[in-house]
Each structure stands twice: as C-alpha cells, then as structure tokens.
Amino acid sequence: MKQVISTLSLLSLTSALAAIIFLLNGRLTIAFLSLFVALAFDMIDGPIARKYGVASKQGAIFDMLTDVPLHLIFPALLLHAFGVSIWLLGLFVLAGIFRLVRFTLRGHLDKGDKLYYQGVPVYYSHFLILLYLLFPLPSLLLDFLLVILGLLMVSLVPTYKLKPQYLGGLIILYIAVALWKLS
C-alpha cells in the first residue's frame, strides 16, 4: 500500500510541475487541467495513507514538497500574471514554506473532538485565485489580500479542517469557474 500512496503523491507532484510548465508557456487551459489533476491526487493520498495505517514522516515530508509547487509556486506565478509584484509573491511563498514545515513537524492539533491547523493552510491560495477569477480585483486589493493570507498562514490562528464535501464543492466550483473564464 505504501507504493500506491507514493505513486499518488508522485502523480500529484508531476501534475503540479506540468501545470507550472504549461502556465509559463501560456497554455492556461491545460495548465489548469493539470493543476486540478494534481489537486485530486493531493486530496486522496493522505487520507488513504491514514486509512490503511501507512502514514509516515517520510510521506509527510514528500507531501510537503509536493505542496510547494501545487499550492505556492503555481498560484504565485498566476498571481504575478494578474499584476502582483514578484517580491510580494516571494514573501508569500516563504510564508507558505514556513507554514508547511511547521505543519509537517507538528501535524494537526485538536480542540475537543475537532482537528485544526495552526494558521491557514497553503491551499487557501487557490481560494484567492477563485475570488479573482470571479471578481477581478484591483492590484492594490489583490496585494493586500495576499499579504493577509501570508500572515494568516504563519499565524497561530486555529483553522478547522474543511469537511471533504465542502472542500470538494469548492474545488468543483474552482474547476467550473476556471474553465468558464478560459473558454
């Protein structure tokens, strides 16, 4: 089963890197399709590993490395195309890496019977992209929201895990809006 989980993580990483390459070459539709494939694999590898009792520290580190291109580099490059300055995006990526390392070392925390993250998860970067796709924001507002998101990622604010059905619904909305805007 560990091989299956490793393969899913590797497929997520490969798809995320492909999305970045397509984005850099201006092929937005295939970039987003590759991104959505990466998101799907990223969503299922951890839960399957936990279900079958094969979750490991090495797997968590590999997942963290996959999250960097998926949830930080791709969004940063896309936000740069929307007008966000590169230095601000560099700070955002560094904040995200800090958050990922902290999560990899500490994991989820629990408050009563609910699991939560310390700080906002890095995948919220996609919600910012979704917001921009729905309502193109002025550059200054987009910069401000990115700074707030970066600060929330490194904060200790408890952020409860989204239920899979809500996260899945948001991803379906993200796919629909992205494909609608690209068509």
Side-chain angles (χ1 to χ4, degrees):
M1 186 52 71
K2 277 189 178 185
Q3 301 291 35
V4 171
I5 304 305
S6 295
T7 301
L8 292 173
S9 296
L10 187 58
L11 288 170
S12 179
L13 176 60
T14 304
S15 299
L17 293 173
I20 290 168
I21 291 167
F22 289 127
L23 180 65
L24 290 172
N25 286 303
R27 301 189 60 205
L28 294 179
T29 302
I30 192 74
F32 270 98
L33 290 173
S34 297
L35 175 76
F36 297 138
V37 168
L39 286 170
F41 287 127
D42 186 54
M43 280 182 62
I44 63 173
D45 62 353
I48 293 173
R50 287 186 291 279
K51 179 180 179 179
Y52 289 99
V54 294
S56 67
K57 204 52 144 172
Q58 293 85 2
I61 291 169
F62 188 56
D63 189 60
M64 177 188 68
L65 295 173
T66 299
D67 287 347
V68 171
L70 179 59
H71 302 300
L72 297 172
I73 303 298
F74 182 91
L77 291 170
L78 190 61
L79 289 168
H80 184 59
F82 295 159
V84 176
S85 70
I86 199 74
W87 69 267
L88 191 58
L89 291 167
L91 292 174
F92 165 76
V93 169
L94 289 175
I97 290 170
F98 174 85
R99 196 249 175 253
L100 286 168
V101 169
R102 183 178 63 201
F103 176 72
T104 301
L105 294 173
R106 294 184 183 168
H108 293 101
L109 302 174
D110 57 46
K111 221 177 208 179
D113 62 343
K114 291 191 171 199
L115 291 178
Y116 70 94
Y117 301 103
Q118 271 189 321
V120 169
V122 293
Y123 63 79
Y124 277 47
S125 61
H126 296 286
F127 300 152
L128 183 57
I129 292 169
L130 175 60
L131 178 67
Y132 183 85
L133 290 173
L134 286 169
F135 312 102
L137 307 168
S139 289
L140 193 56
L141 180 57
L142 191 57
D143 290 351
F144 175 75
L145 291 174
L146 189 69
V147 168
I148 296 300
L149 180 58
L151 290 172
L152 286 172
M153 286 189 308
V154 299
S155 75
L156 300 178
V157 171
T159 305
Y160 291 99
K161 286 188 71 168
L162 289 176
K163 292 182 178 183
Q165 61 268 30
Y166 297 137
L167 188 56
L170 282 168
I171 289 174
I172 290 169
L173 177 63
Y174 188 23
I175 292 169
V177 169
L179 293 178
W180 168 57
K181 289 291 187 168
L182 293 170
S183 62

